[in-house]
Amino acid sequence: MKFRGCKGRYLVLMRTFFMFIVTSIPPARSPLCMQVIQTISDLRQALDKVRAAGKKICLVPTMGCLHAGHLSLIKRARAEADYTVVSIFVNPTQFGPNEDFSKYPRTFEADRDACSKASVDLIFAPTVEEFYPKNANTWVDVEKVTTGLCGAFRPGHFRGVSTVVAMLFNVIQPTCAVFGRKDLQQCVVIKQMVHDLHMPVKVIIDETVREPNGLALSSRNRYLTPEELQKATAIPAACKVAQELVQKGETNPILIEKAAFKRLTLDASLRVQYLKVVHRETLSEVTKILPGECVLALACYLGNTRLIDNVDL
Ligand code: PAF
């Protein structure tokens, strides 16, 4: 009897201890919590419920191959709203005929795991056939801010970007959307589109995330060989040259461009496509540096890989 009583008390104690442990552990976020949706009808159904619950949705549009830069956008989105949607869609209409659409890295499994770890609520990953209706004939074409910089060398690129982002905004209806500052011209184009078409979306621009050596993170960095990665550090070095000149009082954009160009091309294997001092909001060329209003923007090739960057002056 005595033995059984002891055992009973021991079991009750163990049960209480077990219940304490179970209830005091915060619920782990199961990957099952994150929805992965491929069709527009499923997406609308899921997001109608989210909106009906009074939640604000923030979108992070991506083409996948997620890196720490994207994770920073996701973190920002989570801070801005109650529900985070990441779109993963390699958009064919923003690639030129001789660009890297077919070889653009597609890493869906790794992207899904990274999103799940980053507490994303929903991934929207449609196929091209699902997202672009057959015989689609409508474009969103933003003028002026698309003519210079990358726009001058990638005809049709920004038309593809603004069209796909407008489509994402239409089907997701987010309250806000987060874009990376590395793609400065893209940010300006999206802001212009939202402004001109009265889209009820707050556009948030998140700072560029860089490697310790200053190289801006990009999905295309994975095309670079270790040797090219080393050579690519000339990009942040050229940006620094420009910033230091401005800090010393230089206000002539031509002299700043010349000095940055010289640093960028110290190694002959780096081919500059453009390097320009422009106004950070209009992207138009300036005749004098006005601190806080200008940026240095550049694009260059290392082998077949095109890299872009920009910094405040
Ligand atoms: O920046 C990108 O990854 C793309 O241009 C975007 C905004 C997802 C549109 O396809």
Side-chain angles (χ1 to χ4, degrees):
M1 277 294 280
K2 200 174 170 201
F3 176 76
R4 270 169 60 197
C6 247
K7 194 180 173 196
R9 241 173 298 152
Y10 174 73
L11 284 175
V12 168
L13 239 145
M14 281 306 286
R15 195 168 151 262
T16 315
F17 179 66
F18 178 73
M19 287 310 289
F20 171 76
I21 295 289
V22 166
T23 51
S24 59
I25 294 174
R29 194 185 168 82
S30 142
L32 295 176
C33 291
M34 185 182 74
Q35 280 183 282
V36 179
I37 288 184
Q38 281 195 300
T39 67
I40 295 167
S41 61
D42 285 353
L43 178 77
R44 288 204 156 123
Q45 226 178 13
L47 294 185
D48 279 351
K49 284 185 199 144
V50 173
R51 271 185 292 271
K55 289 188 179 172
K56 283 187 182 163
I57 298 169
C58 193
L59 167 67
V60 180
T62 82
M63 296 205 298
C65 191
L66 304 183
H67 49 67
H70 294 109
L71 298 182
S72 164
L73 306 184
I74 292 170
K75 196 170 167 200
R76 184 72 188 272
R78 292 194 65 227
E80 293 282 339
D82 317 296
Y83 193 91
T84 308
V85 176
V86 171
S87 61
I88 298 182
F89 181 65
V90 185
N91 172 34
T93 65
Q94 69 187 74
F95 288 80
N98 300 317
E99 292 184 354
D100 55 346
F101 173 66
S102 56
K103 87 169 208 255
Y104 195 85
R106 285 147 171 99
T107 56
F108 185 75
E109 258 94 80
D111 294 345
R112 188 194 49 206
D113 292 351
C115 284
S116 173
K117 278 202 191 101
S119 298
V120 167
D121 296 290
L122 187 150
I123 292 179
F124 177 52
T127 60
V128 173
E129 294 71 31
E130 169 70 15
F131 206 42
Y132 280 104
K134 252 194 190 154
N135 307 323
N137 248 330
T138 305
W139 296 100
V140 177
D141 204 352
V142 178
E143 295 184 348
K144 278 197 176 151
V145 290
T146 52
T147 53
L149 306 180
C150 294
F153 298 93
R154 303 186 70 188
H157 167 69
F158 288 114
R159 184 176 83 151
V161 170
S162 43
T163 301
V164 82
V165 172
M167 291 166 73
L168 288 167
F169 284 1
N170 266 347
V171 295
I172 294 166
Q173 296 179 24
T175 310
C176 52
V178 192
F179 295 84
R181 148 85 192 259
K182 184 181 74 69
D183 301 303
L184 178 70
Q185 193 169 13
Q186 169 169 285
C187 296
V188 172
V189 171
I190 300 300
K191 275 186 170 176
Q192 182 85 57
M193 173 185 81
V194 163
H195 169 267
D196 297 355
L197 300 182
H198 305 290
M199 291 176 165
V201 183
K202 178 177 160 199
V203 177
I204 299 163
I205 311 300
D206 202 47
E207 266 312 309
T208 305
V209 179
R210 297 178 181 277
E211 299 282 5
N213 63 17
L215 182 66
L217 296 194
S218 161
S219 303
R220 289 188 171 100
N221 288 358
R222 64 165 56 203
Y223 296 151
L224 301 173
T225 63
E227 198 195 336
E228 286 173 333
L229 271 171
Q230 179 51 39
K231 288 182 174 174
T233 56
I235 300 171
C239 292
K240 199 161 165 227
V241 164
Q243 285 176 319
E244 283 172 356
L245 271 177
V246 174
Q247 275 156 21
K248 282 184 196 149
E250 183 57 70
T251 59
N252 183 342
I254 297 173
L255 294 183
I256 292 163
E257 286 169 3
K258 269 192 182 156
F261 185 92
K262 196 170 161 200
R263 177 62 190 87
L264 192 56
T265 52
L266 267 187
D267 186 319
S269 54
L270 226 141
R271 293 162 358 254
V272 182
Q273 193 174 58
Y274 68 78
L275 183 151
K276 282 216 160 89
V277 173
V278 292
H279 191 278
R280 59 177 298 167
E281 276 164 23
T282 60
L283 303 183
S284 51
E285 289 183 28
V286 293
T287 50
K288 192 175 178 222
I289 302 289
L290 298 166
E293 290 191 17
C294 297
V295 292
L296 175 80
L298 65 89
C300 59
Y301 276 96
L302 253 174
N304 292 326
T305 308
R306 186 174 179 275
L307 300 169
I308 59 171
D309 204 349
N310 70 89
V311 286
D312 286 327
L313 292 178

